[in-house]
């Protein structure tokens, strides 16, 4: 059986290697054609363009990997079926389940590898790629693109802090408003030009405090105040608008904890956190789905296998986007928004495998 496992695995891996190289090359070529005008108009040096796509390769690889896994399972098993090799195996008492075993093992190993890859190299590469985009394409200098704008932080149940612009390089928040509520009514408001970090505390500069009592308003001007305490630190403000793809699982989980402490609803980031675990296992489920489809189409060729792969992946990724939107809109819980597509297609693949001729 080891010879048979090596034979099936070799066919699968050969097709996978070819498809990954082809899909990555096509992806890069299409993206380069779409962005060529931007690179030329912005006078981006050729070495920077090359570095941009080198940093883009890890993300591209994770996106095309499920397509390559599905196409490899369809073509490798389809070839065995087309040349009656599966029939010969069945005549010796080898079931389709046993034929599929090495591919499922490969799919499981690839899923674990993709999970580790997404947690190690992909976030760093995304940060480097987005830095190039900000500096060379958006023409934002490093001292400026690190700024974060339009932030809202809930400080417990009774206080809300809004920041118009945060400069992470200087640790200064501009146009700050602090609103205090009691029983749903606004009782105090502070508006300041700046909120500056001073070693271990925040200082408000040049602002006004308004205290509302019934129909009366008490207005007080101040140049500096350092008597207010806040739950957030400068690095927390800098991370508020950081994209999930720039963080690995543990960084995103720590970020979510900070948002919870600050009173911010972390639902959107919880959905993205679950997707960091669920998406890599698409590679295993897609193989489980492809094996019975390939075994049931004896006379199918590469063209049909390629077409089936595109249709299935299109439906799969479309469902992922829909459930992700449902999670972001709080219609579904973060867990089901991330894992529903995997569970659904795993059940479909298992049902097709059970119904396939053994």
């Amino acid at each position: 059986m080891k010879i048979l496992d090596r034979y099936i695995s070799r066919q699968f891996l050969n097709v996978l290697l070819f498809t990954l190289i082809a899909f990555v090359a096509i992806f890069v070529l299409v993206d380069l054609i779409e962005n060529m005008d931007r690179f030329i108009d912005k006078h981006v040096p050729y070495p920077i363009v090359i570095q941009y796509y080198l940093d883009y390769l890890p993300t591209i690889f994770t996106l095309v990997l499920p397509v390559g896994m599905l196409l490899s399972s369809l073509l490798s098993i389809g070839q065995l079926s087309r040349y009656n090799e599966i029939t010969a195996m069945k005549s010796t008492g080898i079931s389709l389940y046993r034929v599929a075993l090495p591919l499922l093992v490969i799919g499981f190993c690839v899923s674990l590898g993709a999970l580790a890859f997404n947690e190690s190299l992909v976030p760093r590469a995304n940060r480097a790629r987005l830095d190039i985009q900000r500096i060379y394409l958006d023409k934002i200098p490093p001292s400026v693109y690190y700024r974060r704008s339009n932030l809202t932080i809930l400080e417990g149940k009774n206080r809300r802090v809004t920041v118009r612009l945060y400069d992470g390089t200087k640790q200064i928040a501009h146009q700050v408003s602090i609103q205090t509520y009691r029983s749903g009514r606004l009782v105090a408001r502070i508006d300041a030009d700046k909120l500056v970090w001073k070693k271990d505390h925040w200082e408000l500069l040049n602002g006004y405090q308004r205290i509302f009592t019934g129909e009366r308003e008490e207005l007080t001007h101040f140049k500096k105040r350092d008597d207010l305490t806040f739950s957030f630190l400068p690095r927390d403000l800098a991370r508020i608008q950081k994209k999930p793809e720039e963080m690995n699982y543990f960084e995103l989980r720590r970020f979510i904890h900070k948002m919870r402490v600050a009173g911010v609803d972390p639902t959107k980031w919880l959905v993205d956190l679950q997707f960091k675990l669920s998406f890599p296992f698409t590679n295993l489920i897609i193989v489980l789905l492809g094996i019975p489809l390939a075994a049931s189409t004896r006379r199918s060729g590469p063209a049909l296998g390629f077409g089936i792969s595109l249709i299935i992946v299109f439906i799969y990724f479309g469902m992922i986007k829909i459930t992700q939107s449902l999670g972001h809109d709080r219609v579904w819980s973060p867990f089901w928004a991330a894992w529903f597509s995997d569970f659904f297609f795993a059940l479909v693949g298992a049902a097709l495998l059970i119904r396939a001729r053994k």
Side-chain angles (χ1 to χ4, degrees):
M1 297 301 289
K2 292 183 179 180
I3 296 176
L4 178 62
D5 291 340
R6 286 197 298 268
Y7 176 70
I8 297 174
S9 301
R10 185 168 59 249
Q11 283 193 324
F12 179 88
L13 293 175
N14 287 339
V15 177
L16 179 62
L17 178 62
F18 173 79
T19 54
L20 287 179
I21 294 175
F23 284 135
V24 169
I26 293 172
F27 196 111
V28 171
L29 182 61
V30 171
D31 190 84
L32 179 60
I33 292 173
E34 290 182 353
N35 291 291
M36 183 62 71
D37 292 342
R38 296 182 65 196
F39 289 130
I40 295 175
D41 293 341
K42 301 295 184 179
H43 305 288
V44 181
Y46 292 117
I48 299 299
V49 176
I50 294 174
Q51 185 61 48
Y52 176 87
Y53 281 102
L54 288 177
D55 293 329
Y56 204 178
L57 282 179
T59 300
I60 297 173
F61 178 81
T62 59
L63 291 175
V64 303
L65 184 57
V67 186
M69 294 290 288
L70 179 58
L71 185 58
S72 300
S73 61
L74 287 173
L75 294 184
S76 58
I77 296 296
Q79 184 175 352
L80 295 177
S81 180
R82 187 164 58 253
Y83 293 109
N84 296 316
E85 292 179 89
I86 289 184
T87 303
M89 296 175 191
K90 290 179 180 178
S91 65
T92 62
I94 301 175
S95 67
L96 180 61
Y97 300 143
R98 184 60 185 82
V99 175
L101 180 61
L103 301 188
L104 294 176
V105 172
I106 292 175
F108 181 73
C109 293
V110 169
S111 295
L112 293 181
L115 181 62
F117 185 73
N118 291 346
E119 290 302 298
S120 56
L121 183 59
V122 172
R124 292 200 299 269
N126 279 333
R127 285 194 292 268
R129 175 175 61 87
L130 291 174
D131 285 348
I132 293 176
Q133 179 178 321
R134 290 160 181 150
I135 296 173
Y136 291 95
L137 295 179
D138 300 331
K139 293 299 182 180
I140 303 175
S143 60
V144 177
Y145 76 68
Y146 192 59
R147 295 178 179 178
R148 311 296 182 180
S149 60
N150 300 324
L151 309 182
T152 300
I153 303 173
L154 300 179
E155 289 271 284
K157 297 181 180 180
N158 300 320
R159 191 166 67 171
R160 182 174 67 181
V161 180
T162 60
V163 175
R164 179 71 179 272
L165 176 68
Y166 177 68
D167 187 347
T169 57
K170 298 179 180 179
Q171 297 184 335
I172 298 176
H174 299 267
Q175 300 298 313
V176 179
S177 177
I178 305 169
Q179 301 173 12
T180 303
Y181 295 85
R182 185 174 299 129
S183 300
R185 295 184 59 185
L186 180 65
V187 296
R189 173 170 176 164
I190 297 174
D191 296 291
D193 290 341
K194 295 180 181 179
L195 179 66
V196 183
W197 179 254
K198 296 291 186 179
K199 293 184 180 180
D200 59 351
H201 67 280
W202 291 101
E203 282 186 0
L204 287 165
L205 301 181
N206 191 28
Y208 293 88
Q209 175 176 282
R210 291 175 171 86
I211 299 178
F212 304 98
T213 305
E215 300 296 327
R216 298 179 57 187
E217 175 184 349
E218 181 182 348
L219 178 64
T220 306
H221 176 263
F222 63 88
K223 292 185 177 180
K224 183 176 71 172
R225 285 190 60 175
D226 58 0
D227 58 324
L228 297 178
T229 58
F230 301 91
S231 63
F232 52 85
L233 299 175
R235 63 174 179 268
D236 300 323
L237 291 181
R239 290 175 180 174
I240 284 179
Q241 292 180 342
K242 192 175 183 181
K243 296 181 179 180
E245 56 264 32
E246 297 181 71
M247 296 181 279
N248 60 33
Y249 178 86
F250 298 101
E251 289 173 337
L252 184 55
R253 191 173 67 175
R254 288 194 295 268
F255 171 77
I256 291 172
H257 175 71
K258 295 282 187 180
M259 292 302 99
R260 278 176 168 162
V261 172
V264 178
D265 183 4
T267 300
K268 180 181 182 298
W269 296 292
L270 285 170
V271 174
D272 295 328
L273 183 71
Q274 289 293 328
F275 266 102
K276 285 186 176 293
L277 297 178
S278 66
F279 186 76
F281 287 95
T282 301
N283 298 290
L284 171 61
I285 296 168
I286 214 79
V287 172
L288 176 64
L289 191 62
I291 291 171
L293 290 176
S296 61
T297 54
R298 289 187 53 183
R299 300 187 181 278
S300 63
L304 181 59
F306 181 78
I308 294 175
S309 298
L310 290 183
I311 293 173
I312 293 176
V313 170
F314 178 80
I315 296 173
Y316 204 138
F317 280 21
M319 183 175 289
I320 287 176
K321 286 298 181 182
I322 292 173
T323 57
Q324 187 177 34
S325 299
L326 292 174
H328 287 167
D329 294 337
R330 303 177 184 86
V331 178
W332 282 11
S333 68
F335 177 85
W336 284 110
W339 289 94
F340 177 81
S341 299
D342 285 357
F343 289 151
F344 176 80
F345 281 97
L347 290 174
V348 172
L352 291 175
L353 189 61
I354 292 173
R355 293 187 61 182
R357 291 179 297 176
K358 311 305 184 292

